[in-house]
Amino acid sequence: MKNRYHIKTVADYFKWRGAKASHPLVSMLDYARSDSYPDYSYDELQFDCYAVFLKDAKNCKLRYGGGEYDFDEGSMVFMGPGQQVGLSYDPDYEPKGYALIFHPDLLLGSELGRKMDHYNFFSYSVKEALHLSDRERELILSVLDKIQYELEQNLDKHSKKLIVSNIELLLDYCLRFYDRQFLTREIPHQGSLERFDRLLNDYFSSDKPQKQGLPTVGYFAEELYLSPNYFGDLVKKETGHSAQEYIQTKLIEIAKQKVFDPNKSVSEIAYELGFKYPQHFSRLFKQQVGHSPKEFRMLN
């Protein structure tokens, strides 16, 4: 059984690191300036807070989803409430980098609090880290420096707004850099769209629709060893459509072919495609094609 450490508050993370948080809702740790080390008795962390890590040291591994992943120098990883991650360290590991930990309560009533779902990378897996160029890293460090500056000042009525706005700026830059990474970085799952197409065809040519129902984004993400949000964003960047829209388009293409078979009723076709109720199939077909399955059959 894994020995899990539950990070319910910002202070909990700093306690695990043997350090002290500067603010109950948000604090930053510069590993190089800290003489404290994590409690090695724990091999798994569970987060109830948001965490942004910029790692500048190698020989630190994270385990996520059955895989083990090295941090490269200049990579960023994001954790959100509900995330769990395993840890292991090489004997010569020397921590270097930064950790920004903030509690959801910090964002209450703010514009950032209302748009946190926009930052899908908080639910990416560790192997989908953000890899920064030297210039991008310098920019991220400059924003972190602004956050640390505010944390070191005497708190006043402007403090929370300035800290939250700089966190929002940091996350917006990360969103931009992830967009760049989708387009430029050669990553292990390059060609995922082609494999996605093959998996879609295999799914509909098997008996899985009858047994498992309509295919889901989560199903294909798992088959491709990607987190659902990262997979969805990857498909969106490549095709301009969401993964769900892509699945529906493929489904309608196959449905059109099946509708041409006069020996099959609309209900049989709906069942073969994974629909529980034929009327749901007919409604989707008409939305996508402009005609009901029966009308489409007659027109063609």
Side-chain angles (χ1 to χ4, degrees), residues 135 157 233 239:
R135 192 172 182 181
K157 64 180 182 180
D233 288 348
T239 68

Side-chain angles (χ1 to χ4, degrees), residues 41 51 59 72 84 118 124 133 142 167 199 231 297:
S41 66
N59 302 321
D72 292 327
Q84 295 177 8
H118 183 59
Y124 290 173
S133 68
S142 71
I167 292 176
L199 286 168
F231 170 64
R297 178 181 286 175

Side-chain angles (χ1 to χ4, degrees), residues 1 50 63 86 170 191-192 212 222 226 238 277 287 292 295:
M1 185 176 178
Y50 291 100
R63 295 189 307 277
L170 176 76
S192 292
Q212 301 180 27
E222 185 175 349
L226 301 173
E238 290 284 341
Y277 306 105
Q287 287 174 351
S292 70
E295 290 171 346

Side-chain angles (χ1 to χ4, degrees), residues 167-192:
I167 292 176
E168 183 175 3
L169 178 63
L170 176 76
L171 299 182
D172 284 340
Y173 273 127
C174 292
L175 199 61
R176 169 189 278 182
F177 297 156
Y178 258 118
D179 284 347
R180 181 269 309 158
Q181 179 167 299
F182 280 123
L183 297 175
T184 63
R185 183 174 169 80
E186 292 184 5
I187 45 180
H189 51 270
Q190 194 168 31
S192 292

Side-chain angles (χ1 to χ4, degrees), residues 30-292:
D30 181 348
Y31 297 138
R33 293 186 179 181
S34 174
D35 57 1
S36 61
Y37 285 82
D39 186 342
Y40 291 109
S41 66
Y42 293 97
D43 53 12
E44 189 172 83
L45 302 178
Q46 178 173 330
F47 288 83
D48 285 353
C49 297
Y50 291 100
V52 177
F53 299 102
L54 171 60
K55 303 296 288 186
D56 281 340
K58 297 184 179 180
N59 302 321
C60 171
K61 295 183 175 64
L62 297 181
R63 295 189 307 277
Y64 189 104
E68 195 171 70
Y69 310 99
D70 284 293
F71 274 123
D72 292 327
E73 185 176 350
S75 62
M76 295 186 73
V77 170
F78 307 82
M79 299 290 166
Q83 293 277 77
Q84 295 177 8
V85 62
L87 297 163
S88 65
Y89 300 94
D90 287 349
D92 57 346
Y93 168 63
E94 288 291 335
K96 187 181 178 183
Y98 303 85
L100 173 65
I101 314 296
F102 57 99
H103 195 276
D105 286 356
L106 176 72
L107 311 180
L108 292 175
S110 69
E111 179 62 27
L112 179 57
R114 289 186 284 272
K115 61 184 278 191
M116 280 304 291
D117 290 344
H118 183 59
Y119 303 107
N120 284 340
F121 46 75
F122 276 104
S123 55
Y124 290 173
S125 69
V126 171
K127 63 182 175 180
E128 296 150 358
L130 175 60
H131 303 274
L132 302 172
S133 68
D134 290 341
R135 192 172 182 181
E136 290 168 350
R137 179 181 175 278
E138 289 176 4
L139 185 54
I140 292 297
L141 286 174
S142 71
V143 181
L144 289 175
D145 187 57
K146 292 177 182 179
I147 296 172
Q148 184 60 33
Y149 173 83
E150 286 301 324
L151 289 171
E152 291 174 352
Q153 305 308 303
N154 292 325
L155 296 178
D156 57 32
K157 64 180 182 180
H158 304 287
S159 298
K160 178 180 176 179
K161 181 179 179 181
L162 289 168
I163 291 171
V164 171
S165 64
N166 276 294
I167 292 176
E168 183 175 3
L169 178 63
L170 176 76
L171 299 182
D172 284 340
Y173 273 127
C174 292
L175 199 61
R176 169 189 278 182
F177 297 156
Y178 258 118
D179 284 347
R180 181 269 309 158
Q181 179 167 299
F182 280 123
L183 297 175
T184 63
R185 183 174 169 80
E186 292 184 5
I187 45 180
H189 51 270
Q190 194 168 31
S192 292
L193 194 61
E194 289 81 1
R195 283 182 282 161
F196 179 29
D197 267 323
R198 289 198 297 271
L199 286 168
L200 264 171
N201 290 326
D202 291 344
Y203 191 94
F204 284 114
S205 62
S206 70
D207 61 355
K208 287 181 180 177
Q210 296 95 306
K211 292 182 177 180
Q212 301 180 27
L214 293 170
T216 64
V217 174
Y219 169 83
F220 293 110
E222 185 175 349
E223 289 292 310
L224 294 169
Y225 304 104
L226 301 173
S227 62
N229 277 344
Y230 190 89
F231 170 64
D233 288 348
L234 182 64
V235 173
K236 183 76 171 180
K237 296 297 184 300
E238 290 284 341
T239 68
H241 300 284
S242 70
Q244 185 60 42
E245 289 170 342
Y246 198 90
I247 292 171
Q248 286 187 354
T249 299
K250 175 65 70 173
L251 185 150
I252 293 301
E253 288 177 3
I254 295 171
K256 285 179 179 179
Q257 298 172 12
K258 290 181 176 292
V259 166
F260 277 115
D261 186 346
N263 297 317
K264 290 183 178 178
S265 68
V266 172
S267 295
E268 288 174 322
I269 295 170
Y271 173 72
E272 287 180 2
L273 291 172
F275 286 88
K276 288 184 177 180
Y277 306 105
Q279 58 267 35
H280 291 173
F281 165 61
S282 296
R283 186 182 306 121
L284 178 64
F285 192 95
K286 187 166 186 177
Q287 287 174 351
Q288 298 291 322
V289 180
H291 300 282
S292 70

